[in-house]
Amino acid sequence: KTKSWWRNYLQGILMSKIGKINILIPKDVNVVFNNGVIDIKGPRGNKKLNLDQDIFDLKINDNKDISIKPKKINKDTKRLWGMNRSLINNAVIGAKEGFEKILELKGVGYRATIKGSTLNLQLGYSHDINFDIPKDIKITIEKQTIIKISGLDKQLVGMVTSKIKSFKPTEPYKGKGIKELGQYILRKEGKKK
């Protein structure tokens, strides 16, 4: 086997599985790349991402798809390649549809209400918990026990969801607490007399 065969073989191993997949741009989303800043505009809002032009080449093909490729392929760029591709893809999906998570409160007297830009939670403590809603996040209460969190930034939606869940983690005996809708909680059996 020749040197060029081995070089091609090693480059194939070093290629990122996620990074080499092109990102499709929906019809009502507009993507502009200028001076290392990717500006993504869609019906849900707009998001700006920074991309290091010393490491990556980004091409937008007739506003139909985006391809991202590293200038040199090594261990570090391979890792960053997949991550940057995922960040751009999430921003495109967020601009088109947005991201949404639904939380469920389970317990006697557990309820949620919105007062202005604050989420008020009654979780069985002696005091209410007030959570300031970030400006890019929309929280709606469907019932008193169902909280819907939505926004165009996947990371921010996940962080807000995680923060709200941390106020009262679900306990394994009666299943009381805050959990995501459809989340499986491993239950334990209590003491027997």
Side-chain angles (χ1 to χ4, degrees):
K1 293 177 181 169
T2 62
K3 280 184 179 178
S4 63
W5 185 89
W6 279 107
R7 193 180 310 114
N8 291 337
Y9 173 72
L10 289 172
Q11 276 191 333
I13 290 173
L14 287 172
M15 290 275 286
S16 170
K17 290 178 187 173
I18 296 168
K20 62 185 170 185
I21 303 167
N22 285 3
I23 302 160
L24 295 172
I25 303 171
K27 286 180 182 175
D28 45 359
V29 175
N30 188 32
V31 180
V32 178
F33 181 60
N34 196 7
N35 295 333
V37 177
I38 307 162
D39 191 14
I40 301 161
K41 288 182 182 160
R44 282 298 193 99
N46 65 322
K47 176 123 176 99
K48 289 185 178 179
L49 295 169
N50 292 323
L51 185 74
D52 192 349
Q53 287 183 296
D54 298 336
I55 303 171
F56 294 103
D57 278 329
L58 186 108
K59 287 182 185 155
I60 301 167
N61 307 321
D62 301 329
N63 214 38
K64 289 184 180 163
D65 67 342
I66 304 167
S67 63
I68 179 170
K69 288 198 169 50
K71 292 181 178 176
K72 275 190 208 165
I73 295 178
N74 58 35
K75 276 186 181 177
D76 294 331
T77 56
K78 180 186 170 190
R79 192 176 59 235
L80 290 170
W81 186 10
M83 182 196 72
N84 279 307
R85 190 253 177 221
S86 293
L87 289 173
I88 296 165
N89 189 41
N90 287 341
V92 169
I93 293 168
K96 168 94 170 97
E97 301 160 12
F99 293 96
E100 182 178 89
K101 290 206 178 221
I102 299 171
L103 294 178
E104 184 180 27
L105 278 65
K106 189 172 181 195
V108 177
Y110 288 18
R111 63 178 59 91
T113 53
I114 290 179
K115 295 176 181 173
S117 64
T118 306
L119 175 68
N120 179 270
L121 298 165
Q122 294 174 351
L123 302 171
Y125 297 122
S126 60
H127 59 282
D128 290 4
I129 295 169
N130 291 317
F131 175 72
D132 292 326
I133 302 168
K135 65 179 175 94
D136 295 335
I137 292 291
K138 186 182 178 204
I139 295 181
T140 53
I141 308 293
E142 291 190 345
K143 296 181 194 170
Q144 288 185 328
T145 56
I146 302 286
I147 303 168
K148 192 185 271 187
I149 302 159
S150 58
L152 65 100
D153 188 346
K154 186 177 185 179
Q155 184 183 359
L156 191 60
V157 169
M159 280 171 52
V160 168
T161 303
S162 177
K163 181 70 177 164
I164 293 170
K165 279 168 63 178
S166 73
F167 293 137
K168 190 80 172 184
T170 307
E171 53 92 20
Y173 296 102
K174 291 183 180 175
K176 287 167 39 173
I178 304 172
K179 65 176 187 135
E180 285 186 47
L181 197 66
Q183 179 184 348
Y184 177 73
I185 302 294
L186 187 67
R187 299 291 289 272
K188 290 182 181 175
E189 199 175 313
K191 286 183 181 175
K192 290 181 179 173
K193 289 183 181 177

